[in-house]
Amino acid sequence: MIKFISTEDTLNVRSLVLREGLDPELCRFEGDDDQFSFHLGYFKDSILVCIASFHQQGSEGFNGMGYQLRGMATLPAYQGAGIGNQLVNFSIIYLRGQKSNYLWCNARKLAFRFYTGLGFEFISEEFDIPGIGPHRAMYLKIQ
């Protein structure tokens, strides 16, 4: 089941999957609590197994309202089951209803295939985020 969740709900999964066990309180992102930001969670048997955060934030060179997808993470035991795919597809439908024009993200190298499978396109060359690793910016037109 997919639900809207709070910033606090995302922190433990971010810590475990994205930040190698860093103190969850240090896994907050700038913009998490902005008025138009939202977070989604996928629950399996009442366990939060997948999360993603969405910040209203444009990307240079694109017109209209854009959202940045941040902090997408699925607990290791649930990866590869299509849960992340369902979560992103839910967000696309929701964002279309909010009149958003596009969704973009800075995707980790390990997730390139996941995002291209959802229809995202590369919009940058590879770059490194210190302490996290190689990424590329990716874009998906919503409407």
Side-chain angles (χ1 to χ4, degrees):
M1 173 186 293
I2 297 171
K3 297 180 183 179
F4 288 89
I5 60 174
S6 69
T7 299
E8 288 69 26
D9 292 334
T10 69
L11 300 179
N12 285 330
V13 177
R14 283 181 186 172
S15 170
L16 290 168
V17 179
L18 301 176
R19 298 294 189 261
E20 299 179 0
L22 184 68
D23 179 342
E25 280 302 314
L26 299 175
C27 295
R28 293 179 182 275
F29 298 147
E30 184 177 333
D32 269 345
D33 297 316
D34 287 355
Q35 178 181 359
F36 297 109
S37 294
F38 65 95
H39 312 277
L40 294 175
Y42 187 104
F43 290 82
K44 181 127 176 118
D45 302 323
S46 75
I47 300 168
L48 180 59
V49 300
C50 181
I51 58 160
S53 298
F54 301 85
H55 299 172
Q56 187 177 17
Q57 173 72 42
S59 181
E60 187 175 329
F62 295 97
N63 295 322
M65 180 177 25
Y67 268 81
Q68 182 182 11
L69 166 57
R70 298 197 66 195
M72 174 114 197
T74 303
L75 295 178
Y78 298 90
Q79 292 176 3
I83 292 170
N85 195 308
Q86 290 178 55
L87 195 74
V88 173
N89 283 322
F90 180 95
S91 76
I92 292 166
I93 293 166
Y94 176 76
L95 288 168
R96 188 174 290 131
Q98 299 301 305
K99 308 296 185 207
S100 181
N101 300 96
Y102 63 94
L103 181 61
W104 69 280
C105 65
N106 289 324
R108 291 172 182 239
K109 189 172 190 170
L110 293 172
F112 290 172
R113 197 171 94 202
F114 170 77
Y115 288 111
T116 57
L118 286 165
F120 281 77
E121 300 173 26
F122 293 109
I123 57 171
S124 79
E125 295 300 320
E126 194 170 291
F127 58 93
D128 188 67
I129 296 179
I132 301 172
H135 287 67
R136 284 182 76 182
M138 300 186 79
Y139 165 92
L140 178 70
K141 182 178 179 177
I142 295 176
Q143 55 190 350

